[in-house]
Amino acid sequence: EPEVTQTPSHQVTQMGQEVILRCVPISNHLYFYWYRQILGQKVEFLVSFYNNEISEKSEIFDDQFSVERPDGSNFTLKIRSTKLEDSAMYFCAKTFANTGELFFGEGSRLTVL
Amino acid sequence: QKEVEQDPGPLSVPEGAIVSLNCTYSNSAFQYFMWYRQYSRKGPELLMYTYSSGNKEDGRFTAQVDKSSKYISLFIRDSQPSDSATYLCAMKRDNYGQNFVFGPGTRLSVLP
């Protein structure tokens, strides 16, 4: 089973602080994703990243969010100025080419105080 | 109308029962359909993946897709307490972006 490693597993931050969540896919796949799940709610698409560019993003993914693949392996999600409502589980995911098999990491839990 | 709907449950069944989980959707463009199992505070785990209409079986799990009714199902045979989790359906349009749309999930409890 393909592996996606996410760090940190849990981060607590103060409102207004910047947060960087990291994802390390084990093998070199083209499509990467960030999803968010607020506690008790559904999994929501944030952004997809293809060939080192944003492929698609949702309305949730506003100017306070950004994604990068700075060194060709790590895949990061940055939240510039966190708000209370950003508290959620953030999942990195990947697919094999352009199929429907979407594999998730274990998630990073973000708590904004 | 929400794009993907699921009964949130909770659904409680005795060990050994056959479980039926369902999703309905509104967008006829969806072509890829998936079922995930999610334990509390963990990442969703892919159980089944189906393209277009039809059935697929994998061990105790059977996925069915009826595109004409915009209805998908996951059946779990001989349910076990370890199957207790939230089950998410997900789907995406064929070759149209990468936005997988998830249902809200059904919480299942299998009682020993």
Side-chain angles (χ1 to χ4, degrees), chain A residues 31-94:
Chain A
Y31 286 94
F32 303 98
Y33 310 79
W34 284 101
Y35 281 79
R36 177 182 81 176
Q37 187 177 33
I38 296 170
L39 186 63
Q41 298 187 25
K42 68 175 185 176
V43 176
E44 299 175 295
F45 171 76
L46 291 177
V47 65
S48 61
F49 197 74
Y50 168 71
N51 221 14
N52 294 324
E53 291 184 350
I54 290 177
S55 173
E56 189 172 342
K57 60 183 180 180
S58 72
E59 59 190 21
I60 302 170
F61 193 86
D62 60 23
D63 290 345
Q64 71 160 343
F65 290 95
S66 62
V67 289
E68 281 187 342
R69 200 171 181 206
D71 56 8
S73 60
N74 288 324
F75 179 44
T76 63
L77 175 69
K78 183 190 291 185
I79 309 175
R80 265 181 268 283
S81 178
T82 50
K83 300 182 284 224
L84 295 176
E85 54 265 36
D86 293 327
S87 295
M89 288 288 289
Y90 288 82
F91 295 108
C92 175
K94 64 181 184 181

Side-chain angles (χ1 to χ4, degrees), chain A residues 42, chain B residues 1-6 23-30 67-72 91 93 101-104:
Chain A
K42 68 175 185 176
Chain B
Q1 182 184 11
K2 293 181 181 176
E3 204 164 15
V4 180
E5 299 198 60
Q6 270 184 276
C23 281
T24 59
Y25 61 95
S26 58
N27 189 340
S28 58
F30 287 133
K67 290 191 66 184
S68 62
S69 302
K70 298 192 186 70
Y71 187 88
I72 69 172
M91 48 201 76
R93 295 173 287 247
V101 180
F102 281 77

